Amino acid sequence: MSAAVAANDHPLAQAFESFVRDQAFPCVGAKSALARSQMNIIVARDITSSWDDLRIHPGLFEAARRFTVDPTLFQSFVVIFEGPRDLDELAFERAMWDRIQSLADKDAFNGVPYDATVDPDPNSPHFSLSFGGEAFFAVGMHPGASRPARRFHTPAVVFNLHRQFEMLRAAGTYEKLRASILQRDVTLAGAVNPMLARHGETSEARQYSGRAVDESWSAPFDPQSGKCRHAE
């Protein structure tokens, strides 16, 4: 491929949709996004390369804009990478955060304000990513993931709009949905995901890659790095 493809009819996009539709897949929110045709997918080259970042970033920006115009449940933006498919959990985590940093730098470089409802400090329990002025939660997937729900056959990152979680809380349905996902994940994996936590308890950055990390771990993320390089 010579470019990212913003089309859900790409073979990898179709494979991802089948992965989500599988009865065993635990995330009912993703299933709802797909059923409502609100899962937008981009297929890119290499998660270890910045090759397609300038194509992925507008997709995130559009996802934020679309949600601002029409804040309905459930909406997801998915980036599927053709490879590499042999990354272990640590290598995937590094590559995923490299892509996140590069994409966040583009917002910072262009002076796009960080979503004021969340904290840009990755060590804060109120941290979330922000693109186009909207907060996002990221879910990494790859062949080497220890959690079966994260074990897609090529690297991928799912960006979910954070405001959706607040909408679910306001509607009184968040805890029920969360409990359903947790139970389904336990059924699939045989044990509770040790990294799961509610927003506000600990930094959600610890959950992004799917790798189990200890208390000393800190996300390799600087929300101001794009501005700093621009100033230099």
Side-chain angles (χ1 to χ4, degrees), residues 35-36 202:
R36 298 180 186 197
T202 187

Side-chain angles (χ1 to χ4, degrees), residues 9-131:
D9 58 356
H10 187 284
L12 282 178
Q14 293 178 344
F16 187 82
E17 290 177 354
S18 295
F19 177 75
V20 171
R21 286 193 187 99
D22 189 283
Q23 186 175 359
F25 185 72
C27 185
V28 292
K31 290 179 182 292
S32 294
L34 184 57
R36 298 180 186 197
S37 299
Q38 294 186 145
M39 178 178 285
N40 293 289
I41 300 175
I42 278 183
V43 178
R45 281 187 174 186
D46 185 338
I47 196 171
T48 67
S49 167
S50 62
W51 182 272
D52 284 319
D53 289 356
L54 285 173
R55 296 178 179 272
I56 296 168
H57 182 253
L60 272 169
F61 208 89
E62 174 59 20
R65 186 204 66 79
R66 186 166 48 245
F67 185 77
T68 300
V69 172
D70 182 20
T72 57
L73 299 169
F74 293 83
Q75 299 183 38
S76 290
F77 177 71
V78 184
V79 184
I80 302 173
F81 297 89
E82 293 180 320
R85 303 188 182 191
D86 58 352
L87 299 175
D88 62 21
E89 287 198 295
L90 184 58
F92 171 80
E93 181 181 89
R94 289 170 177 161
M96 182 198 70
W97 280 104
D98 281 348
R99 300 280 62 71
I100 287 173
Q101 184 69 68
S102 175
L103 295 166
D105 285 351
K106 289 161 181 52
D107 259 34
F109 183 89
N110 289 302
V112 180
Y114 215 91
D115 188 328
T117 66
V118 296
D119 195 330
D121 178 0
N123 296 310
S124 167
H126 301 288
F127 168 76
S128 275
L129 299 171
S130 178
F131 301 103

